[in-house]
Amino acid sequence: DSGVTQTPKHLITATGQRVTLRCSPRSGDLSVYWYQQSLDQGLQFLIQYYNGEERAKGNILERFSAQQFPDLHSELNLSSLELGDSALYFCASSVGSASGSRNEQFFGPGTRLTVL
Amino acid sequence: GDSVTQMEGPVTLSEEAFLTINCTYTATGYPSLFWYVQYPGEGLQLLLKATKADDKGSNKGFEATYRKETTSFHLEKGSVQVSDSAVYFCALSERTSYDKVIFGPGTSLSVIP
């Protein structure tokens, strides 16, 4: 158990809908990272937050957004869902630092999103 | 941009066989290199890492050596067990910050008794 929790474990929805994925980092970790894992694209970095502020952006679509709350949990919002958004979405956390983390990322178990 | 290439799987081995999973990278700077493992139904876990040329990372019987001259970081284990069945990801990040990690496509390993 990495200490990172993600809810829900599975999500099935229809095209055009909007969903929210939730992540609680390990106690004491300030950085949260979101990744998308799909068969055709592999594991893609989406976005990182550090202590409530957006730190880095990767291959995140404009239909997707995220935020990190004062209690450090994070939510990833996916809207206008398309079939191609079906994937495993992982959250990871690390201690982090203002100048860039030199610490390992710990991954949660993931949320499997199926868009029908 | 930076990228990681791994040998294609799936790889199937008998228990106690020798394992090699090849990994090569392309990077503009001087990266840190990692191997992550993903067991069925779980998230990724860091298996080992190396931060400079000729460093050897090791953990749980797995080893990988940072070869700058060949831009490689091959994963090896002398004797695999059924419990090693998983997907293995080679990855890199900037040397000074592990915030943005670039992963390879993953190599699925199945070990049969």
Side-chain angles (χ1 to χ4, degrees), chain B residues 10-17 19 21 36-43 45 47 60 62 75 77 79-89 107-113:
Chain B
V11 173
T12 302
L13 294 174
S14 297
E15 209 165 18
E16 298 183 4
L19 168 72
I21 301 178
Y36 281 80
V37 58
Q38 184 180 24
Y39 297 103
E42 297 182 14
Q45 303 173 27
L47 182 59
K60 299 182 182 180
F62 291 90
L75 182 69
K77 187 176 185 184
S79 174
V80 293
Q81 306 300 311
V82 172
S83 57
D84 294 327
S85 298
V87 180
Y88 292 82
F89 293 89
T107 301
S108 175
L109 170 67
S110 292
V111 180
I112 53 177

Side-chain angles (χ1 to χ4, degrees), chain B:
Chain B
D2 295 357
S3 66
V4 177
T5 304
Q6 288 178 237
M7 62 186 286
E8 295 214 8
V11 173
T12 302
L13 294 174
S14 297
E15 209 165 18
E16 298 183 4
F18 184 86
L19 168 72
T20 299
I21 301 178
N22 291 335
C23 169
T24 57
Y25 67 90
T26 302
T28 50
Y30 190 163
S32 290
L33 303 175
F34 309 86
W35 277 99
Y36 281 80
V37 58
Q38 184 180 24
Y39 297 103
E42 297 182 14
L44 281 73
Q45 303 173 27
L46 180 63
L47 182 59
L48 54 85
K49 71 180 182 191
T51 59
K52 61 184 189 298
D54 301 324
D55 260 3
K56 179 185 280 188
S58 61
N59 186 23
K60 299 182 182 180
F62 291 90
E63 292 183 341
T65 301
Y66 191 145
R67 300 287 187 204
K68 199 164 187 285
E69 64 277 12
T70 54
T71 61
S72 64
F73 193 53
H74 305 320
L75 182 69
E76 296 182 335
K77 187 176 185 184
S79 174
V80 293
Q81 306 300 311
V82 172
S83 57
D84 294 327
S85 298
V87 180
Y88 292 82
F89 293 89
C90 186
L92 66 80
S93 75
E94 291 177 6
R95 198 151 173 238
T96 54
S97 169
Y98 298 167
D99 279 338
K100 191 170 178 187
V101 181
I102 295 171
F103 290 90
T107 301
S108 175
L109 170 67
S110 292
V111 180
I112 53 177

Side-chain angles (χ1 to χ4, degrees), chain A:
Chain A
D1 184 352
S2 67
V4 179
T5 59
Q6 291 186 247
T7 56
K9 285 192 82 158
H10 302 277
L11 201 47
I12 301 175
T13 187
T15 54
Q17 295 297 304
R18 182 180 188 276
V19 297
T20 298
L21 312 183
R22 183 188 167 101
C23 168
S24 292
R26 292 187 322 150
S27 176
D29 284 358
L30 298 180
S31 272
V32 168
Y33 311 79
W34 286 99
Y35 293 87
Q36 179 193 59
Q37 186 179 37
S38 61
L39 282 174
D40 54 342
Q41 300 273 356
L43 193 62
Q44 300 278 323
F45 167 72
L46 295 178
I47 197 164
Q48 179 209 351
Y49 280 81
Y50 172 72
N51 204 18
E53 301 288 326
E54 183 184 302
R55 167 68 66 86
K57 248 181 176 174
N59 301 321
I60 188 165
L61 299 171
E62 283 193 17
R63 300 183 286 108
F64 296 0
S65 65
Q67 54 184 323
Q68 186 180 27
F69 293 87
D71 66 353
L72 300 177
H73 91 272
S74 178
E75 293 181 356
L76 179 66
N77 301 296
L78 315 176
S79 61
S80 303
L81 285 167
E82 301 175 0
L83 295 177
D85 298 327
S86 296
L88 255 177
Y89 290 84
F90 286 107
C91 167
S93 74
S94 76
V95 171
S97 85
S99 58
S101 178
R102 292 276 302 189
N103 304 104
E104 173 187 350
Q105 292 183 26
F106 290 85
F107 281 74
T111 294
R112 181 170 293 282
L113 173 66
T114 303
V115 182
L116 300 175

